């Protein structure tokens, strides 16, 4: 008798193959950068590969590769638009307005377009806060997405992931969102973004863009899971931060740092959809270690980015208020007989 996709053995094998894709892609990204002697490209390639592997969806090879291409073009266009707008009069405010408007539309996006839209908004927010795209960034992201595409081809013909169970992208969508929400929620989420970004600039936070990014990724119309997810995100982020604080002073060189980056990446696909706090723990470690890699590449040191915690806390607090307002709205309208 055929085994269904929900079989625990097949689900475990699906997670292991997803972990293998991360291991191969991230290792190649850092290894190639070491061979060509450009550490900056390796750091950006690691970030691009991370984004590409999470956005791998659908079942046919053509649709999977097409999704990766659309994702790459989307973030590239968002970075370009942000760079162009920020040099205009009130350009930064135009970008913030576009991000808030996009957040309101995001609540109606489903499946692939949900994550694609989040990536686009993230790159818009990064561009407004002293992010200057350069040739190394473009080459690095292109290499990361290209390596992910090669692994997807191997996955399609060798491991046959579509026969094993839910795709990594589907696992991520189940815990992060992606379902069609109400117009009221779209308005509330946009206002939450406005409030969070205004507060981050008002109190002069070092990286206010991360506040908006946090709001983008944890807001969801499911109020109960939304509050739980906020708590788990804070726990995972704080734990990941202190893990980096403890480990980084004992990493002697880039070779060891590269190994740590690869190892941190392996926990992301394995815990997606299984444990939200551990997923955030490994994502936090991965992002901070890659940023440390880039800081070395640009002549800095391994200074730990303390803003990662404070900006996450502010973003989570704003998201909590937004969820509470949405809960009050749904409760009031359900009591008056109006559909949610």
């Amino acid at each position: 008798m055929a085994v269904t996709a929900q079989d625990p053995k097949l689900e475990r094998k699906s997670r292991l193959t997803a972990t293998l894709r991360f291991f191969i892609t991230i290792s190649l990204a850092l290894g190639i950068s070491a061979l060509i002697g450009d550490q900056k490209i390796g750091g950006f390639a690691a970030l691009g590969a991370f984004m590409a592997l999470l956005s791998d969806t659908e079942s046919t090879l053509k649709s999977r590769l097409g999704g990766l291409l659309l994702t790459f073009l989307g973030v590239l266009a968002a970075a370009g638009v942000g760079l162009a707008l920020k040099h205009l009069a009130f350009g930064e405010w135009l970008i913030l307005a576009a991000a808030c408007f996009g957040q309101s539309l995001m609540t109606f996006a489903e499946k692939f377009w949900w994550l694609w839209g989040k990536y686009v908004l993230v790159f818009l927010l990064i561009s407004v806060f002293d992010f200057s795209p350069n040739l190394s960034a473009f080459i690095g992201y292109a290499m990361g997405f290209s390596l992910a595409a090669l692994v997807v081809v191997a996955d399609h013909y060798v491991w046959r992931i579509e026969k094993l169970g839910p795709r990594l992208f589907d696992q991520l969508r189940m815990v992060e969102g992606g379902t069609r929400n109400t117009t009221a929620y779209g308005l509330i989420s946009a206002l939450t973004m406005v409030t969070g970004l205004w507060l981050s600039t008002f109190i002069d936070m070092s990286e206010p863009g991360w506040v908006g990014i946090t709001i983008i990724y944890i807001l969801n119309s499911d109020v109960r899971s939304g509050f739980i997810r906020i708590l788990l995100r804070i726990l995972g982020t704080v734990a990941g931060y202190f893990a980096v604080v403890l480990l980084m002073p004992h990493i002697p060189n880039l070779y060891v740092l590269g190994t740590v980056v690869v190892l941190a990446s392996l926990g992301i696909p394995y815990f997606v959809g299984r444990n939200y706090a551990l997923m955030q723990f490994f994502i936090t470690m991965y992002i901070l270690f890659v940023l440390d890699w880039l800081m070395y590449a640009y002549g800095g040191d391994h200074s730990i980015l303390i803003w990662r915690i404070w900006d996450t806390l502010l973003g989570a607090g704003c998201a909590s208020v937004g969820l509470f307002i949405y809960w009050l709205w749904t409760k009031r309208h359900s009591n008056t007989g109006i559909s949610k």
Side-chain angles (χ1 to χ4, degrees):
M1 183 175 61
V3 185
T4 63
Q6 287 74 32
D7 185 277
K9 292 183 178 179
L10 291 185
E11 181 183 356
R12 190 180 307 113
K13 190 174 181 180
S14 175
R15 291 182 182 277
L16 290 176
T17 55
T19 303
L20 181 61
R21 292 200 300 276
F22 267 73
F23 175 77
I24 293 175
T25 310
I26 305 301
S27 299
L28 286 175
L30 298 181
I32 292 174
S33 70
L35 289 176
I36 63 178
D38 194 326
Q39 183 185 338
K40 299 175 184 178
I41 289 179
F44 290 118
L47 292 176
F50 164 76
M51 297 171 59
L53 292 172
L54 284 182
S55 61
D56 175 26
T57 183
E58 304 300 337
S59 57
T60 66
L61 180 60
K62 181 179 179 180
S63 61
R64 295 176 71 181
L65 295 178
L68 295 186
L69 178 61
L70 284 175
T71 302
F72 175 70
L73 294 177
V75 298
L76 191 66
V81 169
L83 185 62
L85 289 179
K86 73 180 297 183
H87 296 298
L88 300 178
F90 304 104
E92 293 187 354
W93 294 105
L94 289 175
I95 297 175
L96 296 182
C100 293
F101 178 70
Q103 173 65 14
S104 68
L105 296 180
M106 186 68 59
T107 61
F108 300 99
E110 296 182 7
K111 297 182 179 179
F112 169 79
W113 298 107
W114 153 77
L115 186 60
W116 185 88
K118 287 181 182 288
Y119 283 159
V120 169
L121 292 184
V122 164
F123 269 73
L124 272 176
L125 289 176
I126 290 176
S127 68
V128 75
F129 297 113
D130 298 326
F131 173 75
S132 300
N134 53 35
L135 184 59
S136 293
F138 172 77
I139 295 175
Y141 279 113
M143 186 173 76
F145 273 86
S146 298
L147 291 173
L150 292 176
V151 174
V152 165
V153 173
D155 177 49
H156 186 81
Y157 288 109
V158 179
W159 301 308
R160 305 296 295 176
I161 186 64
E162 69 273 13
K163 302 295 184 182
L164 299 180
R167 192 68 51 76
L168 180 63
F169 173 87
D170 296 322
Q171 297 280 355
L172 180 67
R173 187 165 60 91
M174 283 190 288
V175 297
E176 289 283 13
T179 55
R180 190 174 295 277
N181 301 311
T182 65
T183 304
Y185 177 76
L187 178 61
I188 291 171
S189 63
L191 291 176
T192 303
M193 277 282 289
V194 171
T195 303
L197 292 172
W198 178 80
L199 283 174
S200 64
T201 54
F202 178 76
I203 61 181
D204 196 25
M205 303 197 77
S206 59
E207 293 292 339
W210 204 273
V211 176
I213 293 172
T214 301
I215 294 172
I216 288 172
Y217 276 102
I218 65 178
L219 267 179
N220 189 276
S221 62
D222 184 349
V223 176
R224 179 178 177 275
S225 67
F227 282 120
I228 294 175
R229 188 162 55 248
I230 288 171
L231 176 61
L232 293 177
R233 185 181 184 91
I234 293 174
L235 291 176
T237 299
V238 172
Y241 168 80
F242 282 108
V244 175
V245 169
L246 294 173
L247 289 174
M248 199 63 204
H250 304 288
I251 296 177
N253 52 54
L254 284 176
Y255 295 102
V256 177
L257 179 58
T259 302
V260 172
V261 168
V262 173
L263 292 177
S265 73
L266 303 184
I268 300 172
Y270 191 79
F271 288 106
V272 165
R274 171 178 289 187
N275 189 306
Y276 190 82
L278 284 176
M279 181 186 75
Q280 290 300 329
F281 171 77
F282 282 104
I283 288 178
T284 299
M285 289 184 63
Y286 180 77
I287 296 299
L288 289 182
F289 278 132
V290 173
L291 290 178
D292 282 323
W293 175 284
L294 286 171
M295 289 170 67
Y296 273 126
Y298 281 94
D301 54 23
H302 60 263
S303 302
I304 304 302
L305 307 176
I306 186 64
W307 51 263
R308 179 70 168 89
I309 287 186
W310 298 118
D311 293 346
T312 295
L313 291 176
L314 178 57
C318 293
S320 299
V321 174
L323 283 172
F324 181 70
I325 295 173
Y326 183 66
W327 175 78
L328 291 177
W329 184 90
T330 54
K331 183 178 180 181
R332 175 184 177 184
H333 285 77
S334 60
N335 290 337
T336 56
I338 300 176
S339 171
K340 287 190 269 184

